[in-house]
């Protein structure tokens, strides 16, 4: 079987458009293929993603606005960007948004100076946030976007990989109850640090993983831990270890997504110390894929 790598336009689990590439085997299926499409079992696998044009769930227009805007300038039928209303977010959303708007990286909470902040990226932020919600000593969490240069990025823009951001979470923790080392424990328990630009079934630069430090003290803890993990694995770690950039909160529906029930309306435990399996999967699509 020969394989080629082709560019495709996909929708993510929440409907946003994104460019990707996939290896496609050039083999003749046993059953006949009719027309310009074939069943999923004869095609390449796209877990939790679907090719357009079928049943775009609403995020596509904003992504097309960004794509066409970059090519032809703003305006036109796709110029429909919807900004995030940061004032409607629960704490710590508004605090983080204000800091990002001012180009600042917070070290401690302005509302509660006893709480320290830490930023991590571990692929899709839904399950990753829930893992940190369960850590004793973690008081608040927020999903969002970091390590990019565009202001006020939306989910659709980040998924289109035009802003440079990665999906991430912000952790507010009490250093008297929770050490930065224990937060790194959670990171390495949840993340395969050898995977480049992705995690699990999710791939793309906006799913790259990393530890983004706020202070020299955090770096002093994280750097030797990365070296230790690399020695243990015997190969180079792909996860980033960098100074954090401003953190832009994600849309409200992304916040504490799995605790609130996710798409299937089945809440998952955020109780401290919970060891319940975290299931961030959404329903599979059995529809036809057009190529």
């Amino acid at each position: 079987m020969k394989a080629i790598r082709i560019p495709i336009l996909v929708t993510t689990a929440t409907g946003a458009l994104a460019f990707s590439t996939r290896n496609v085997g050039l083999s003749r299926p046993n059953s006949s293929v009719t027309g310009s499409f074939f069943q999923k079992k004869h095609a390449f696998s796209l877990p939790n993603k679907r090719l357009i044009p079928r049943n775009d769930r609403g995020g596509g227009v904003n992504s097309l606005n960004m794509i066409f805007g970059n090519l032809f300038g703003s305006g036109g039928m796709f110029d429909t960007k919807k900004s995030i209303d940061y004032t409607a977010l629960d704490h710590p959303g508004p605090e983080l948004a204000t800091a990002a708007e001012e180009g600042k990286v917070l070290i401690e909470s302005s509302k509660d100076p006893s709480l320290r902040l830490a930023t991590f990226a571990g692929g899709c932020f839904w399950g990753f946030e829930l893992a940190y919600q369960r850590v004793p000593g973690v008081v608040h969490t927020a999903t969002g976007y970091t390590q990019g240069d565009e202001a006020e990025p939306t989910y659709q823009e980040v998924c289109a990989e035009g802003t440079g951001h990665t999906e991430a979470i912000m952790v507010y923790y009490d250093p008297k109850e929770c050490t930065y080392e224990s937060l790194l424990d959670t990171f390495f328990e949840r993340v395969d640090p050898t995977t480049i630009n992705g995690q699990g079934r999710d791939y793309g630069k906006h799913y790259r993983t990393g530890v983004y430090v706020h202070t020299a003290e955090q770096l002093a803890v994280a750097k030797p831990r990365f070296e230790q993990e690399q020695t243990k694995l015997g190969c180079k770690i792909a996860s980033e270890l960098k100074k954090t950039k401003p953190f832009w909160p994600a849309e409200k529906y992304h916040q504490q997504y799995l605790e609130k029930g996710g798409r299937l309306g089945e809440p998952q435990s955020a109780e401290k110390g919970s060891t319940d399996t975290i299931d961030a999967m959404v329903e599979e699509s059995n529809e036809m894929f057009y190529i």
Side-chain angles (χ1 to χ4, degrees):
M1 176 187 295
K2 294 183 179 180
I4 59 173
R5 195 160 183 82
I6 63 171
I8 59 174
L9 189 60
V10 301
T11 56
T12 66
T14 57
L17 288 174
F19 284 107
S20 184
T21 59
R22 288 292 184 273
N23 289 320
V24 180
L26 299 179
S27 63
R28 185 181 300 276
N30 293 328
S31 60
S32 61
V33 178
T34 304
S36 61
F37 57 86
F38 49 87
Q39 290 286 358
K40 182 176 180 180
K41 64 181 179 179
H42 292 145
F44 45 93
S45 175
L46 283 176
N48 296 335
K49 294 183 174 70
R50 295 167 302 144
L51 294 178
I52 62 170
R54 180 164 298 201
N55 191 27
D56 177 13
R57 283 183 264 188
V61 171
N62 287 333
S63 293
L64 286 174
N65 168 46
M66 181 176 183
I67 295 168
F68 279 85
N70 288 341
L71 291 174
F72 307 113
S74 60
M77 66 178 292
F78 294 109
D79 194 7
T80 58
K81 172 173 176 172
K82 296 181 180 179
S83 59
I84 300 172
D85 182 3
Y86 298 116
T87 63
L89 300 178
D90 296 328
H91 181 73
E95 175 177 283
L96 293 169
T98 298
E101 289 165 353
E102 296 173 354
K104 296 179 179 178
V105 170
L106 297 178
I107 296 175
E108 59 190 30
S109 171
S110 57
K111 186 175 181 179
D112 186 351
S114 67
L115 301 181
R116 299 294 184 265
L117 275 64
T119 304
F120 304 97
C124 175
F125 47 28
W126 292 343
F128 199 53
E129 180 186 29
L130 184 57
Y132 277 96
Q133 285 179 266
R134 294 175 172 182
V135 176
V138 170
V139 181
H140 303 294
T141 60
T143 57
Y145 317 110
T146 190
Q147 304 312 107
D149 297 319
E150 298 290 331
E152 301 182 9
T154 64
Y155 180 69
Q156 289 79 9
E157 291 173 331
V158 172
C159 286
E161 298 188 356
T163 69
H165 292 86
T166 187
E167 291 191 14
I169 64 163
M170 181 70 74
V171 175
Y172 280 57
Y173 66 102
D174 185 344
K176 295 179 180 178
E177 299 182 25
C178 174
T179 65
Y180 189 68
E181 289 92 337
S182 67
L183 299 180
L184 290 175
D185 289 342
T186 300
F187 176 85
F188 284 106
E189 287 168 2
R190 291 286 305 176
V191 167
D192 175 2
T194 65
T195 301
I196 300 173
N197 290 338
Q199 200 67 194
R201 296 156 65 97
D202 298 307
Y203 290 93
K205 220 178 168 185
H206 61 296
Y207 287 127
R208 68 189 186 276
T209 62
V211 172
Y212 304 111
V213 298
H214 292 236
T215 65
E217 289 76 16
Q218 288 185 353
L219 179 61
V221 174
K223 187 175 180 180
R225 179 61 182 272
F226 266 63
E227 294 171 349
Q228 175 187 339
E229 295 293 332
Q230 185 161 293
T231 299
K232 183 193 305 183
L233 293 168
C235 60
K236 186 175 181 179
I237 286 182
S239 296
E240 298 179 324
L241 175 57
K242 295 181 177 180
K243 181 178 179 180
T244 192
K245 291 184 177 182
F247 181 96
W248 294 94
E251 293 79 353
K252 189 168 185 175
Y253 68 89
H254 284 304
Q255 306 298 333
Q256 297 81 51
Y257 183 79
L258 296 184
E259 180 190 11
K260 295 174 181 176
R263 175 173 298 162
L264 302 181
E266 299 176 357
Q268 298 183 46
S269 175
E271 183 179 352
K272 299 302 182 186
S274 173
T275 58
D276 292 352
T277 299
I278 295 176
D279 184 5
M281 299 298 294
V282 295
E283 70 266 20
E284 287 286 341
S285 170
N286 292 318
E287 62 189 288
M288 313 289 267
F289 290 115
Y290 287 78
I291 62 171

